[in-house]
Amino acid sequence: GDGGFKLLLKQGAWFDDAHQAHVSTYTAVGHATILTGAYPYRHGIVGNDWWDRATQKRVYCCGDASSTILGEPTAENVGTSPRNLQVTTVGDELRVATGMKSKVLSVSIKDRGAIFTGGKTGMAYWFSKDTGRFITTTYYTNDYPVWWKQFDAGKPQDKWLDKVWDP
């Protein structure tokens, strides 16, 4: 409506005295807070990493041992997904409101940037520093779409490999 996103598109927003209402301002916490509208104690993402007292192990914010990276070897416990996120995101709510007809696609350099902005029902891709490709995990899909395979077949990441960039 006129008072929602349309107002932001027309007039923008400016905050000259803004404050975080939570102490941890790590990347994952910020993405989760902004896209869920919930505080960390509610959405469950309290840092990029945290210590789980019950298991006595470190937890990566979007770590998920049950999800493996598509088309690349996945070291033990390196798979990622939004399973640690305890609430829905704006994208999830958009999909639910449209009977799952809306498409939510998130792309980022880091997995947590794509995962927490894409939500639980969207699709997320992030950059693999190991291969130079944009990748995803089995949480989202069992195979890459045809357009991704066609793009990746051209090995666009190799175009600038071993080249010197002179600005």
Side-chain angles (χ1 to χ4, degrees):
D2 289 329
F5 284 123
K6 197 181 284 186
L7 178 68
L8 284 175
L9 287 172
K10 288 180 182 177
Q11 297 181 17
W14 180 267
F15 302 95
D16 58 7
D17 190 22
H19 302 275
Q20 293 290 114
H22 58 275
V23 112
S24 179
T25 57
Y26 295 108
T27 310
V29 179
H31 291 319
T33 301
I34 290 170
L35 273 296
T36 65
Y39 292 121
Y41 79 91
R42 192 82 180 110
H43 61 60
I45 306 303
V46 296
N48 290 345
D49 302 274
W50 61 84
W51 185 254
D52 184 332
R53 291 183 214 162
T55 63
Q56 294 292 298
K57 292 183 179 178
R58 175 187 135 320
V59 174
Y60 178 55
C61 60
C62 51
D64 179 3
S66 69
S67 297
T68 58
I69 299 169
L70 289 179
E72 294 188 15
T74 306
E76 187 177 357
N77 297 323
V78 176
T80 55
S81 82
R83 289 192 211 275
N84 291 330
L85 189 62
Q86 296 174 4
V87 298
T88 57
T89 65
V90 170
D92 295 327
E93 293 299 322
L94 176 65
R95 296 213 49 204
V96 168
T98 61
M100 303 306 265
K101 291 178 183 175
S102 292
K103 296 190 185 303
V104 173
L105 174 69
S106 180
V107 180
S108 180
I109 295 297
K110 293 185 178 179
D111 55 1
R112 60 185 174 252
I115 289 169
F116 295 130
T117 57
K120 295 177 175 220
T121 63
M123 183 70 196
Y125 291 94
W126 55 92
F127 181 75
S128 167
K129 63 181 181 335
D130 295 330
T131 63
R133 304 179 324 154
F134 279 86
I135 59 172
T136 193
T137 65
T138 54
Y139 174 88
Y140 296 100
T141 185
N142 291 322
D143 197 10
Y144 288 106
V146 172
W147 65 263
W148 184 95
K149 290 177 183 180
Q150 290 171 343
F151 178 77
D152 187 58
K155 300 205 178 287
Q157 70 273 19
D158 293 349
K159 182 177 180 181
W160 302 104
L161 190 63
D162 297 326
K163 300 271 194 299
V164 175
W165 180 55
D166 292 316

